Amino acid sequence: MSTSDATAEIKEVGKAVEITDKARLTSLGDPETEARRQFGILAARKVDADLIAQAQANETSQGGGTPLSFTTATGKTNFTWADAVVPAIGAFGDEWEPDDFSGLYLNSAQLGEAMLDPQFIDASKLGNGPSAAVTGSIGRMGGVPVYVTNRITAGKFLLMKTGVLGLLYKRRPLVESDRDILARSNVITTTMHYAVKRLNDKGVCVGTLATT
């Protein structure tokens, strides 16, 4: 019997904005409410970007390992079912079951290539049954939801199982405000503390399209 341990870095991110009384009185709507809304969007995007980066990271210095990976054959520069997805599926050995995968993640540079592939089924054609499109996905390929995000580098893609990535909040987004009576303004700040971790090195395959 053996045990192992791994570490994850706790990150702190934050943002601040100052809203003057003049801006509040002369603007349409409520600038403070809008600032809080935008903070929420920025926080979600930052966490999303860190999760995608961690899925591809070399975690050997943290007690982990590296994800599955491969590069398409020379001359296979386009994202297709035969040249890209099939080899990615092969990397998982006998553990291929579409329902076990959270998705296939692409850069927008490969969007057109994916949509032209005969194996791609557009979300609008999936109906409302068990195989319907997952929220946020553009369709399915090989039974797996397809997502487009430019947080993945052009020429790369991820095929990932469900539950591969972990997110732990040490403190969820905290919004605070303070009044500066001399400047006649309100300062609004938001901070959050969290850690991301790849929980299963063999649960994600990083594919790279050949350059030539």
Side-chain angles (χ1 to χ4, degrees):
M1 180 180 293
S2 63
T3 62
S4 61
D5 59 56
T7 61
E9 176 187 1
I10 296 176
K11 301 181 180 183
E12 177 187 36
V13 295
K15 190 76 173 179
V17 64
E18 182 177 12
I19 302 173
T20 65
D21 289 354
K22 181 178 180 180
R24 185 188 300 275
L25 294 170
T26 59
S27 63
L28 294 174
D30 185 347
E32 184 170 334
T33 299
E34 177 62 17
R36 291 172 183 266
R37 185 188 71 83
Q38 291 189 24
F39 285 155
I41 294 174
L42 289 172
R45 288 179 175 174
K46 180 65 172 67
V47 170
D48 186 45
D50 284 347
L51 284 168
I52 291 176
Q54 199 67 32
Q56 306 169 69
N58 182 336
E59 293 188 342
T60 52
S61 63
Q62 299 171 279
T66 57
L68 302 171
S69 64
F70 82 99
T71 301
T72 58
T74 302
K76 306 298 184 180
T77 60
N78 291 339
F79 180 85
T80 66
W81 169 260
D83 297 333
V85 184
V86 170
I89 292 173
F92 292 94
D94 61 356
E95 297 185 6
W96 170 246
E97 175 54 57
D99 289 343
D100 292 341
F101 285 75
S102 65
L104 180 60
Y105 302 83
L106 314 172
N107 183 280
S108 61
Q110 277 66 60
L111 173 59
E113 297 166 358
M115 296 181 73
L116 288 173
D117 194 283
Q119 291 288 337
F120 176 79
I121 303 176
D122 189 89
S124 63
K125 299 178 182 179
L126 289 171
N128 299 315
S131 297
V134 180
T135 301
S137 70
I138 62 169
R140 286 180 180 266
M141 209 169 192
V144 177
V146 179
Y147 300 91
V148 177
T149 172
N150 282 355
R151 292 171 180 81
I152 295 174
T153 305
K156 287 185 177 292
F157 66 92
L158 302 179
L159 181 58
M160 190 155 37
K161 286 187 173 183
T162 302
V164 168
L165 299 177
L167 168 63
L168 173 65
Y169 283 102
K170 292 295 289 184
R171 188 172 71 184
R172 290 182 177 273
L174 174 66
V175 179
E176 300 176 288
S177 61
D178 192 24
R179 175 72 177 171
D180 186 337
I181 60 174
L182 295 178
R184 291 179 299 162
S185 65
N186 289 341
V187 176
I188 304 170
T189 66
T190 183
T191 56
M192 65 177 179
H193 296 76
Y194 65 97
V196 294
K197 182 72 175 174
R198 189 177 59 247
L199 305 178
N200 180 4
D201 293 336
K202 306 305 181 184
V204 55
C205 181
V206 182
T208 303
L209 302 178
T211 56
T212 56

